[in-house]
Amino acid sequence: MKREVREVQQEVQILKDKGEIEDFRLGHSAKHRTVNFLFRGAWYSTVFPSTPRTPYANNFVRQQIRRQIRRLQTI
């Protein structure tokens, strides 16, 4: 597993340990790597770059997941 993917996996594991998401899986679509996460019994996904363009890529993934959770909570 690439270093970038391991770092993203660690960030998402932290979200799971804090109880913000129930479970997660790393996968890939046709062009991008994805994080599939379980929230309130449904699976959602967000993409992340497979190559780190900045040292903040892991933080970006965590923010994307939290934004999506906030958006789902308002529904």
Side-chain angles (χ1 to χ4, degrees):
M1 185 181 304
K2 290 185 175 182
R3 178 182 59 91
E4 300 84 27
V5 177
R6 280 195 309 268
E7 290 174 356
V8 168
Q9 183 177 8
Q10 290 171 353
E11 290 293 330
V12 179
Q13 183 65 42
I14 291 169
L15 292 176
K16 181 180 175 189
D17 294 342
K18 287 182 177 180
E20 294 184 44
I21 59 174
E22 299 168 25
D23 197 10
F24 73 95
R25 287 183 270 180
L26 298 176
H28 55 82
S29 64
K31 294 183 180 181
H32 302 285
R33 293 191 180 269
T34 60
V35 175
N36 301 312
F37 61 95
L38 184 64
F39 179 72
R40 293 185 181 172
W43 287 95
Y44 302 95
S45 67
T46 187
V47 298
F48 67 93
S50 58
T51 57
R53 291 177 179 87
T54 69
Y56 306 108
N58 304 331
N59 187 36
F60 176 75
V61 171
R62 186 175 60 240
Q63 288 176 352
Q64 288 296 97
I65 292 173
R66 284 184 173 157
R67 282 183 191 131
Q68 198 163 5
I69 289 171
R70 276 196 305 267
R71 196 170 37 238
L72 293 168
Q73 288 175 337
T74 60
I75 295 174

